[in-house]
Amino acid sequence: MPQDIEWPRNDYSRVPYRLYHDPELYAREQERIFEGPTWSYLCLEAEIPEPGDYVTTWVGDTPVVANRDREGTVHAFVNRCAHRGAAVCRAARGNVRVHTCIYHRWSYDHAGNLRGVPFHRGIRGEGGMDEDFDMDRHSLRKLRAAIFEGVVFGSFSDETEPLEDYLGPMMRGHIGRLMGRPVRVLGHQRQRIEGNWKLYLENLRDTYHASLLHEFLVTFGLDRATQKGGVEMDARHRHNLTYAHAGSDRDEDARAAYGRQQVRAGALTLRDPRLLEFRREYEDDRNLAISTVFPNAAFQQLNNSLATRQVQTKGIDAFDLVWTYFGYADDDEDMTAHRLRQANLFGPGGLVSMEDAEAIEIAQRASRREAGTTVVEVGGKGEISDRAYRVNDVPVRGFWSYYAELMDIEPPGAVR
Amino acid sequence: MIEVEARLAIADLFANYGAFLDADRLEDWLECFAEGCRYEIVSRENLRRGLPLALMLCENKDMLRDRVVSLREANEYSVHTDKHVIGGLRIKEPVEGGFAVEADYAMFQADAEGTGSLYSFGTYDAECELAGGAAKFRRMTVVVDNWNIPHMLSTPI
Ligand code: FES
Ligand SMILES: [Fe+2]
């Protein structure tokens, strides 16, 4: 039983490997996290601008549709026919006036209400449904949908606090900074990573690995831990932001720091340096800001490469990572070309992200039968709090503390 | 009608292209491209929807060289061996100094323990130029049909 999870320490500085491999826990996560009191990222409003536009997506293992009705309101519902369970929307995206299931042609409006049942009254008085069949009681299962700065979130639970409160001032600030202007979607990427979804959520909160695993960052002088930066979390430590300021360290310091770690700071230069050019476009001079929203999303800026990332669980040992790249509606042609060029940094083939998939897959593979725990204590143990320096993994402990709370598997005297 | 020599030169180019990638001879693979080349891997989905985002984009040969240097010197990725099977060469229409061409590919991948899988399949949509009896790619757009990329995308396709 999940309740017998033993955390050796109450500050989550040791994490049992079992958490990445136990199918019972996975089932419980679906129920308590993805269908629990959380807001999951669904899509950008810019992907469904017109009435009738829809996208299909997933919240955990559950297929979900987000769409826009004739009045412009965005709704979300489970993509599973109320009749016999077939997926109602089969295309990845599209535009429809009504959603009609192909199996027996039940049809639904954009809010997910059942509107039509063929042969409801039978044919020539024969067949059909019983008199007491109530259309109103056979809608698609609905999610609450909420929008913040053009980002559409959905929640299965009536208990979930309002989206703005759930995000908190820190995340609202970061999402507002990136999404506070009309955006234009440049395209999507998707990759299937053979690892437990939580390994990725940890990876996103682990500033320690960034410039060690992603050697490109340091070798080509794009980003290094000697830069001014740090990590911030919301009050409940479930979301996080990692950031760095452009040009805030000296080459000599970086070379000295990395020389000892066998990482060659600034050892190589690009023949086409435009890949690394930073065009400042916000009030601050941050050239790196990557935030994660519990449980399934990340919002990314590195130089001028902007994207959201969504995690879709595919069983205990796999997940899909969906990247949505965007620019701003008022970008000129040159800026769009610049963003498309810098998209090379991220995604399945990203020069600073392909390593994450490999790190996750080798961790998943090697830890399958391990009864012990990982070590999470860079930046110290104990209290979970923001750091104004970069070499730390404190937000990983923040993730586990909220995870354990929702899963009801907190250790005695748990740090939150 | 395209001359037989030109057709053979283009077929050789595709054969070398796949063989160099499979043998991890990325520096030799670079020589399949003309100086002013553009190399791009795109998903069928983005292409269909008219979205410009690529999975990998090298707007000139220097960017392609940078990609290879990065793979050699800076990136970490799965231990793998690739096998390209390329067929169905279509010479489409003449363009200045060469031809627009298409071919289909399937690319298999074996891991460090010899376990294999179908990694990628799709279409090469390209422009070749012919000079001195040899062909080079002036533009190569790899259109990936199974665009949910397994694991990660390291070695070019
Ligand atoms: S399953 Fe959808 S109409 Fe029957
Ligand atoms: Fe990473």
Side-chain angles (χ1 to χ4, degrees):
Chain A
M1 283 311 288
Q3 284 81 356
D4 67 4
I5 287 286
E6 274 184 44
W7 300 93
R9 298 186 184 169
N10 68 351
D11 60 3
Y12 304 96
S13 56
R14 298 290 181 273
V15 179
Y17 283 109
R18 185 182 145 196
L19 288 161
Y20 311 106
H21 299 287
D22 185 333
E24 261 185 58
L25 279 168
Y26 181 77
R28 194 176 167 91
E29 287 166 356
Q30 295 295 325
E31 196 183 300
R32 300 187 73 102
I33 294 177
F34 294 105
E35 295 187 38
T38 57
W39 286 102
S40 284
Y41 173 95
L42 300 181
C43 64
L44 298 182
E45 266 199 286
E47 295 175 76
I48 44 171
E50 301 299 328
D53 282 351
Y54 72 87
V55 296
T56 61
T57 183
W58 299 81
V59 173
D61 284 350
T62 307
V64 167
V65 171
N67 70 0
R68 194 180 288 277
D69 70 16
R70 249 164 272 174
E71 281 71 50
T73 306
V74 171
H75 305 270
F77 52 76
V78 173
N79 190 11
R80 184 194 302 129
C81 186
H83 178 219
R84 294 255 286 278
V88 177
C89 297
R90 297 179 304 139
R93 49 189 80 229
N95 181 287
V96 289
R97 285 178 46 234
V98 288
H99 294 287
T100 304
C101 176
I102 60 162
Y103 201 170
H104 314 86
R105 307 279 167 191
W106 284 27
S107 58
Y108 302 90
D109 65 19
H110 295 117
N113 299 311
L114 181 60
R115 288 293 183 225
V117 173
F119 308 134
H120 187 185
R121 294 279 166 247
I123 297 177
R124 291 188 293 271
E126 292 179 313
M129 316 291 272
D130 277 347
E131 278 303 316
D132 62 358
F133 179 77
D134 181 358
M135 302 257 290
D136 292 341
R137 299 186 51 183
H138 297 273
S139 297
L140 297 170
R141 183 175 173 199
K142 296 173 187 178
L143 284 79
R144 292 164 65 195
I147 296 170
F148 181 74
E149 299 284 20
V151 186
V152 182
F153 291 86
S155 180
F156 279 105
S157 170
D158 293 333
E159 323 273 83
T160 319
E161 61 205 294
L163 177 61
E164 302 214 348
D165 297 344
Y166 181 80
L167 294 171
M170 190 279 292
M171 274 314 307
R172 290 203 304 269
H174 177 63
I175 296 180
R177 175 178 177 271
L178 278 191
M179 320 290 300
R181 296 154 59 182
V183 304
R184 177 184 156 213
V185 173
L186 299 175
H188 302 274
Q189 298 171 343
R190 181 187 279 268
Q191 74 191 109
R192 169 68 52 89
I193 298 178
E194 309 285 338
N196 184 264
W197 67 280
K198 299 187 293 301
L199 288 168
Y200 191 67
L201 276 281
E202 288 187 294
N203 173 283
L204 285 166
R205 287 164 170 82
D206 165 6
T207 315
Y208 181 36
H209 88 281
S211 66
L212 296 168
L213 174 66
H214 305 300
E215 235 184 298
F216 182 95
L217 290 171
V218 179
T219 309
F220 292 96
L222 171 60
D223 179 68
R224 44 206 187 191
T226 44
Q227 275 169 256
K228 200 159 87 89
V231 298
E232 289 174 6
M233 285 165 276
D234 66 309
R236 192 49 200 85
H237 306 139
R238 56 194 172 188
H239 318 309
N240 94 302
L241 166 68
T242 172
Y243 63 92
H245 293 269
S248 56
D249 65 344
R250 298 186 315 157
D251 289 351
E252 304 88 86
D253 298 340
R255 264 185 228 115
Y258 283 101
R260 290 190 288 275
Q261 325 306 333
Q262 296 172 355
V263 176
R264 298 155 305 163
L268 295 170
T269 48
L270 293 172
R271 280 171 173 261
D272 192 333
R274 292 178 304 168
L275 183 64
L276 302 183
E277 180 194 328
F278 174 45
R279 301 184 187 174
R280 189 172 153 171
E281 51 185 331
Y282 308 107
E283 273 172 27
D284 57 66
D285 63 355
R286 288 177 180 182
N287 72 322
L288 170 96
I290 300 180
S291 68
T292 67
V293 174
F294 191 98
N296 79 333
F299 297 85
Q300 153 221 310
Q301 173 223 348
L302 175 59
N303 286 2
N304 305 102
S305 177
L306 311 178
T308 66
R309 308 180 196 176
Q310 181 195 26
V311 171
Q312 302 178 356
T313 57
K314 301 291 170 192
I316 184 84
D317 53 7
F319 65 92
D320 279 2
L321 188 55
V322 179
W323 307 70
T324 301
Y325 289 73
F326 63 90
Y328 298 114
D330 59 1
D331 284 348
D332 61 16
E333 227 174 276
D334 182 58
M335 192 60 177
T336 299
H338 180 61
R339 293 196 205 279
L340 292 170
R341 188 176 304 126
Q342 294 203 337
N344 277 298
L345 297 169
F346 286 110
L351 292 164
V352 302
S353 65
M354 70 174 81
E355 290 85 7
D356 289 322
E358 175 66 358
I360 285 162
E361 293 192 350
I362 59 180
Q364 183 76 13
R365 233 180 278 150
S367 65
R368 195 159 285 137
R369 300 296 305 161
E370 174 56 49
T373 66
T374 65
V375 176
V376 190
E377 60 171 274
V378 183
K381 308 192 287 291
E383 193 199 359
I384 298 169
S385 55
D386 296 354
R387 295 292 193 273
Y389 55 84
R390 304 191 64 202
V391 179
N392 78 82
D393 53 20
V394 178
V396 174
R397 297 194 290 117
F399 169 79
W400 286 113
S401 82
Y402 192 60
Y403 172 90
E405 182 186 335
L406 288 186
M407 292 286 283
D408 194 19
I409 53 170
E410 287 183 289
V415 171
R416 283 187 171 177
Chain B
M1 263 293 275
I2 180 175
E3 288 172 23
V4 155
E5 286 75 18
R7 174 177 283 276
L8 290 177
I10 292 168
D12 280 351
L13 176 64
F14 273 107
N16 286 330
Y17 176 99
F20 286 144
L21 286 174
D22 294 346
D24 194 33
R25 288 170 60 182
L26 301 181
E27 293 74 11
D28 293 326
W29 173 75
L30 284 174
E31 295 320 309
C32 294
F33 294 90
E35 249 348 276
C37 67
R38 179 185 173 93
Y39 174 82
E40 213 174 348
I41 304 178
V42 302
S43 72
R44 179 72 69 189
E45 172 73 358
N46 284 341
L47 190 68
R48 200 180 275 144
R49 293 172 52 211
L51 295 173
L53 180 76
L55 283 151
M56 196 183 282
L57 169 64
C58 298
E59 295 157 287
N60 54 54
K61 196 161 174 180
D62 276 342
M63 285 181 78
L64 206 50
R65 291 188 180 103
D66 287 339
R67 182 53 88 158
V68 169
V69 171
S70 179
L71 286 172
R72 291 284 190 234
E73 306 284 337
N75 294 120
E76 304 286 351
Y77 44 86
S78 60
V79 178
H80 65 92
T81 306
D82 295 346
K83 185 62 69 191
H84 284 74
V85 180
I86 300 172
L89 175 62
R90 278 97 66 196
I91 314 274
K92 299 184 73 184
E93 69 266 342
V95 293
E96 208 199 311
F99 292 91
V101 299
E102 274 183 7
D104 298 319
Y105 76 90
M107 189 196 129
F108 302 84
Q109 201 166 68
D111 69 12
E113 295 178 328
T115 305
S117 60
L118 174 58
Y119 176 82
S120 181
F121 56 89
T123 299
Y124 292 128
D125 170 358
E127 271 178 43
C128 299
E129 56 187 46
L130 288 157
K136 291 199 175 206
F137 290 118
R138 179 189 292 164
R139 177 182 64 77
M140 167 58 89
T141 307
V142 184
V143 183
V144 181
D145 289 336
N146 63 328
W147 53 278
N148 187 359
I149 304 295
H151 318 293
M152 74 220 68
L153 176 58
S154 52
T155 311
I157 299 172

